[in-house]
Amino acid sequence: AQSVTQPDIHITVSEGASLELRCNYSYGATPYLFWYVQSPGQGLQLLLKYFSGDTLVQGIKGFEAEFKRSQSSFNLRKPSVHWSDAAEYFCAVVVNGNKLVFGAGTILRVKS
Amino acid sequence: DAGVIQSPRHEVTEMGQEVTLRCKPISGHNSLFWYRQTMMRGLELLIYFNNNVPIDDSGMPEDRFSAKMPNASFSTLKIQPSEPRDSAVYFCASSLSLGSPYEQYFGPGTRLTVT
C-alpha cells in the first residue's frame, strides 16, 4: 500500500541554521508529492508540490524540496530558518486518483 | 477569497449527543474532503466528494458518522451518537479537479471534545 514516512518526530534547529526534513514514500508509479505546514491551532497550508519535471521544486516562505526517485525521498529544505517557521510539517502523496495520504508529521522547534 | 470556512471552531458535547460540523468550500472548487486529526492516528481522510457526489467513504469509521453535500457550497459531517473517542480536530478541504487537481486547501478545523 502507498505510504509516507517521516522518520523524525521532532527536530530542533537554531534560528539562522539550515533545515532538512526527511520524507520517504512508498509508491509504484511516479508519485505526486506535497509538503504542508500546520501552525498551532491552524489548518494545513501548502508549501510546495512535485508532479513531474524538474526534481528541485521551490515553494513559499523560502522552502524547497528535492525529489529523488532512487531514494524514494522528497526532503524539504530551507537554508536559513526563522523563528516563525516553528510548526508541524507534513509530507503527503496522492493515491488512487485524488486521495492524499499524509505522513505522521515532523514538529520543528526553532531556538534563538 | 475567504478560503475554506468551517463552523463551529470548537465544539464541546456530551457522549450520546448529535454533533454536526459544517464546511463551506472555496467558491468554484468541485472536490471536498473531510479529515480527522488525532495524536494517535494523525491525519486521516474520512470521505471525499466530487461534484457533490460521495466518491470514497472508506475512511468513515462507523455508521455513527455520516456526511452530506447538498450543494456545491456546503457540506456537513454528522456524528450520532457521539462518543469520547470521537474527540479530534476535523478538517475540511477543497480542491479544483481541473488544473492542479491535487492541491487541497484546508479550513481552520473544528476541535471536537466529547465528554
Side-chain angles (χ1 to χ4, degrees):
Chain A
Q2 300 90 345
S3 65
V4 174
T5 301
Q6 293 181 246
D8 304 305
I9 299 175
H10 297 98
I11 282 186
T12 300
V13 299
S14 297
E15 190 168 17
S18 64
L19 170 70
E20 182 169 31
L21 303 183
R22 295 183 291 165
C23 172
N24 294 97
Y25 65 88
S26 170
Y27 190 67
T30 300
Y32 294 164
L33 294 158
F34 299 79
W35 275 99
Y36 282 83
V37 61
Q38 184 181 26
S39 298
Q42 302 295 314
L44 279 72
Q45 181 183 21
L46 179 65
L47 282 176
L48 47 78
K49 61 184 183 287
Y50 171 77
F51 287 171
S52 64
D54 193 346
T55 57
L56 184 64
V57 293
Q58 303 296 320
I60 62 172
K61 304 185 179 186
F63 285 92
E64 66 178 27
E66 187 171 12
F67 171 64
K68 293 185 177 180
R69 184 187 301 277
S70 61
Q71 298 178 19
S72 297
S73 69
F74 188 57
N75 294 349
L76 181 71
R77 301 194 295 248
K78 187 170 184 178
S80 177
V81 170
H82 187 262
W83 64 266
S84 60
D85 293 324
E88 188 162 13
Y89 292 80
F90 293 91
C91 183
V93 64
V94 172
V95 302
N96 297 338
N98 204 15
K99 296 168 62 171
L100 280 178
V101 171
F102 287 87
T106 297
I107 296 173
L108 172 65
R109 298 191 179 109
V110 180
K111 59 181 180 181
S112 56
Chain B
D1 191 340
V4 176
I5 299 173
Q6 291 187 248
S7 65
R9 293 293 310 274
H10 301 272
E11 177 80 37
V12 180
T13 191
E14 292 183 347
M15 182 174 62
Q17 296 298 306
E18 177 180 296
V19 175
T20 299
L21 311 181
R22 296 172 176 81
C23 175
K24 177 178 170 56
I26 292 172
S27 177
H29 282 190
N30 61 343
S31 293
L32 184 139
F33 306 79
W34 282 102
Y35 291 89
R36 179 172 65 176
Q37 186 179 38
T38 61
M39 289 290 292
M40 291 298 295
R41 300 174 67 89
L43 268 163
E44 305 173 277
L45 177 65
L46 300 178
I47 185 171
Y48 83 90
F49 296 83
N50 195 44
N51 295 322
N52 311 337
V53 176
I55 302 300
D56 186 338
D57 66 353
S58 59
M60 295 286 262
E62 49 197 276
D63 292 344
R64 297 184 298 105
F65 286 69
S66 63
K68 294 182 179 180
M69 192 164 187
N71 56 62
S73 59
F74 183 66
S75 177
T76 59
L77 178 68
K78 185 177 294 186
I79 308 172
Q80 166 64 17
S82 58
E83 297 183 2
R85 59 193 169 118
D86 302 329
S87 297
V89 181
Y90 291 82
F91 289 103
C92 176
S94 70
S95 71
L96 182 62
S97 63
L98 299 176
S100 294
Y102 311 111
E103 276 191 46
Q104 296 184 19
Y105 294 83
F106 282 74
T110 295
R111 182 174 296 277
L112 173 65
T113 303
V114 183
T115 61

